[in-house]
Amino acid sequence: MDKNKVFIGFMTAVLGLFLLISPDTFISFFVIILGIAAVIDGIFVLAATRDLIVDPQYKLIVTVRGSLSILIGVFAVVLPKLVAAIAWSAMAYTLAVYLIISAGLQIYTITKLHRNGIMIKQSMIEVVTSLILALILIIIPSNVAGQFIIRLFGIALLIIGAGLVVLQWRNRITVIQPDSVQTVEEEDAE
């Protein structure tokens, strides 16, 4: 039995149960986590990617994108704590718009990077991820659809997590401890 897989299964099931019991808390938590990720992304963009190529337009776009990321991320973390009921949905829409703008800016920088022979695979993954997260953030704040989708996702996670734990339990290696051990020489002596 792989203890890591059991732990992952257990944590997945707990997350699924959390989604079922308190979807509103999960949404606030999700917005705060995305805000923290946006701040980290902004710092990374400003520190690591701004000077990849010598092009003033590229530098300007990357600086705007990094600064916008930090600003929106800070608001996403601070606002839901201050005004939980209204701010999380406003922040979710703001994050969604930011992710769409960020994806557009990233597509522009990808073309610049590609022309200069720099790998763009990770940047393409970031664009697709940003667009998917933006779509999720646009759908989730709607009370009826958001609650339904989150609870459905919670049920799926609960089933997957419990299934993983049960599967690991059923496939565990069974060790039988003998009462006594006799060697071949001892058997010949008898």
Side-chain angles (χ1 to χ4, degrees):
M1 181 165 60
D2 187 355
K3 291 179 183 177
N4 289 334
K5 288 183 181 175
V6 170
F7 178 74
I8 289 170
F10 179 72
M11 292 308 292
T12 303
V14 167
L15 179 62
L17 192 61
F18 178 59
L19 290 174
L20 279 172
I21 293 171
S22 183
D24 291 334
T25 305
F26 172 76
I27 291 170
S28 296
F29 181 71
F30 184 68
V31 169
I32 290 170
I33 294 296
L34 274 179
I36 292 169
V39 169
I40 293 169
D41 180 56
I43 292 169
F44 175 77
V45 164
L46 290 175
T49 63
R50 190 168 55 173
D51 296 323
L52 279 177
I53 58 176
V54 181
D55 182 352
Q57 289 176 338
Y58 174 81
K59 252 184 196 182
L60 177 66
I61 294 289
V62 170
T63 302
V64 168
R65 182 173 169 260
S67 302
L68 187 64
S69 183
I70 292 170
L71 181 69
I72 296 295
V74 167
F75 281 132
V77 171
V78 173
L79 280 181
K81 289 183 178 182
L82 297 176
V83 193
I86 298 169
W88 75 261
S89 87
M91 214 52 246
Y93 287 128
T94 303
L95 271 171
V97 169
Y98 154 72
L99 287 169
I100 291 168
I101 292 170
S102 177
L105 294 173
Q106 185 72 8
I107 289 170
Y108 175 78
T109 58
I110 285 171
T111 59
K112 293 281 189 180
L113 291 173
H114 185 65
R115 285 185 201 148
N116 287 289
I118 297 174
M119 295 289 292
I120 59 170
K121 182 179 178 183
Q122 186 174 358
S123 296
M124 292 298 292
I125 292 170
E126 188 177 336
V127 167
V128 171
T129 304
S130 292
L131 291 174
I132 290 170
L133 288 173
L135 182 64
I136 290 170
L137 284 169
I138 289 169
I139 292 172
I140 283 179
S142 165
N143 284 339
V144 177
Q147 299 280 335
F148 177 73
I149 290 170
I150 290 174
R151 286 203 165 102
L152 201 62
F153 192 58
I155 291 169
L157 285 177
L158 188 60
I159 291 170
I160 290 169
L164 188 59
V165 170
V166 168
L167 192 68
Q168 287 300 311
W169 179 259
R170 293 184 97 207
N171 292 336
R172 71 187 185 284
I173 299 172
T174 308
V175 178
I176 301 173
Q177 295 293 332
D179 292 334
S180 63
V181 177
Q182 246 183 337
T183 62
V184 175
E185 295 169 1
E186 292 175 359
E187 287 180 5
D188 291 339
E190 293 177 4

